[in-house]
Each structure stands twice: as structure tokens, then as C-alpha cells.
Amino acid sequence: VWLAIVLLPLVMYALIAASFAPSAYGQSYPVERARFPARFVMTGALVLEGALFGLLVSQIRLTARFSAALAASVLLGLSALYPLRAAWQAYQTVPEYQARAAAWDARDAQIWADKGQGMLDIEVIQLPGVARVKELDTDPDHWVNRCAARYYDVNSISALP
């Protein structure tokens, strides 16, 4: 069990490095989709480490087991605080996303209003992209603009910079 406890982090590190390698060589840092298998490997390894430590603790005296349980409880309590930090960070981005949603809704309403007035070649305000998702472009022949024009059933849509 001790050997597995020592070797497991090394194996985990090797697997994560191997999963990052193709993306890291191509883009100097792994993109989000390349990090998913690494997170899976890390989570599995940490669960297995916990199980192995549990096997060791189950074989020791009662007083030492109580001390280990107390230490584990303290660590569990501290680790339970981390999701609260992540929730706080996500909460702080809410106003930014609310403003973006309001701008998008206003642009959507403008497109529908322009179409209702008979306009078939529509120009709208360009919004910044979020999370590397492409927004409407200044070129009406860009694929995103053509998809939007098809959605709104107009000839073309272009964005003003």
C-alpha cells in the first residue's frame, strides 16, 4: 500500500504530462479541451490516494485512528471552503454578463425591428466576443453573419465596429 501511495502521484504526473503534450507543443499551453482528461486523471488519482490512506488508517490502533479521523475532518472542512471561493468569483462576474445580455437583447430587438420595417440588409452594433466565441463581423459574407441572416430571414447582417 505504501508503494502505491508513493507511485500513484508519479503515474498521475506522467499521464497528465502525456495528455498535455500534443496541445502544449502545438499551442504552447493546453487548451480547455485538452485539460479535461488531465482533470479526470487527477481526480481519479486523488480518490485512489484517499482510499489507500483509508486502508492504512483502518489497520492502526484506535487512538491513532481517532487522531487521523480528526485530521481528516479538519482537512475536509478546509477543503469545503474552496467551492465558496469559486462561487464568489462567479458571482462577481454576474454584472458583466447581465450588461452583455442586455446589449445582446437590444441588438436582437433592433434586428427584428429593422426586419419589421422591411430592411433586408441590416447593420448592427458589433459586440465583443466572449470565451473565444465569434460574434457578428463587419463582413456580411462571414459565416457567422450568414448564419445570423438565415436565422433572422434577411439578406445580410453586418456589424459596425
Side-chain angles (χ1 to χ4, degrees), residues 4-120:
I5 287 175
V6 171
L7 289 180
L8 188 61
L10 299 173
V11 171
M12 176 188 70
Y13 180 80
L15 288 173
I16 291 173
S19 72
F20 276 9
S23 182
Y25 284 128
Q27 298 170 330
S28 79
Y29 189 77
V31 294
E32 288 83 3
R33 69 179 178 273
R35 290 184 236 159
F36 181 77
R39 187 165 292 193
F40 178 78
V41 167
M42 185 177 72
T43 303
L46 290 174
V47 167
L48 191 53
E49 280 282 323
L52 291 172
F53 274 117
L55 280 174
L56 286 178
V57 169
S58 70
Q59 297 173 1
I60 57 178
R61 294 188 336 263
L62 186 61
T63 56
R65 196 180 305 167
F66 175 75
S67 300
L70 181 63
S73 298
V74 168
L75 288 174
L76 182 62
L78 290 175
S79 65
L81 296 176
Y82 188 76
L84 296 175
R85 176 183 171 272
W88 177 251
Q89 288 178 332
Y91 179 74
Q92 289 177 327
T93 64
V94 167
E96 173 188 343
Y97 283 102
Q98 285 176 332
R100 176 168 172 70
W104 196 93
D105 288 342
R107 185 176 70 179
D108 180 60
Q110 177 198 350
I111 294 171
W112 286 114
D114 289 350
K115 182 185 175 194
Q117 294 174 359
M119 294 176 62
L120 295 177

